[in-house]
Amino acid sequence: MKGNIGQMMKQAQMMQENMRRMQEQLGTIEVEGQSGSGMVKVLMSCKHETRRVSIDPSLTADREMLEDLLVAAFNDAARKVEETVSQKMGSITAGMGLPAGLKLPF
């Protein structure tokens, strides 16, 4: 039994180190959200840091439409961040046998 606990502790430490490295890597991965057929683009890191916003000049005349397209582009980028993070974290947690609904990082 003591050997199993020691092995589990080693696995937990290894997973913690893998998680730390993955968090660092996620800060360098960028995704682009778009709306209005690419008229508004948002570049965001996988740590939800906005890096750049590009707006087609033709949209500056219609403020309400521009606001709506900005919201849609940010939401698209955030959705892509979540998909990317989930995919990357899945490679770390695969085979751990986590209970259904448990999502890492906590």
Side-chain angles (χ1 to χ4, degrees):
M1 184 74 166
K2 287 185 180 182
N4 289 340
I5 291 174
Q7 184 64 25
M8 287 175 56
M9 291 299 289
K10 285 181 184 179
Q11 286 177 334
Q13 288 173 343
M14 201 162 116
M15 188 187 82
Q16 187 176 20
E17 179 61 23
N18 288 342
M19 290 287 287
R20 186 192 61 74
R21 277 186 274 165
M22 181 60 67
Q23 289 293 329
E24 288 176 6
Q25 181 185 8
L26 288 173
T28 64
I29 298 172
E30 296 177 336
V31 298
E32 181 179 79
Q34 296 185 22
S35 65
S37 299
M39 294 177 78
V40 175
K41 298 177 184 176
V42 173
L43 187 66
M44 187 179 287
S45 78
C46 283
K47 285 192 164 188
H48 290 94
E49 297 169 342
T50 303
R51 301 274 169 87
R52 183 176 38 242
V53 176
S54 301
I55 301 170
D56 187 284
S58 67
L59 292 173
T60 57
D62 189 347
R63 179 184 171 142
E64 191 171 313
M65 180 188 292
L66 175 57
E67 290 170 350
D68 291 343
L69 290 173
L70 278 167
V71 169
F74 273 97
N75 288 337
D76 185 45
R79 181 186 52 76
K80 289 178 179 178
V81 164
E82 292 304 319
E83 288 173 1
T84 303
V85 169
S86 178
Q87 182 182 35
K88 297 287 185 184
M89 289 299 178
S91 66
I92 290 177
T93 60
M96 283 186 55
L98 295 174
L102 185 61
K103 186 177 173 184
L104 292 176
F106 299 110

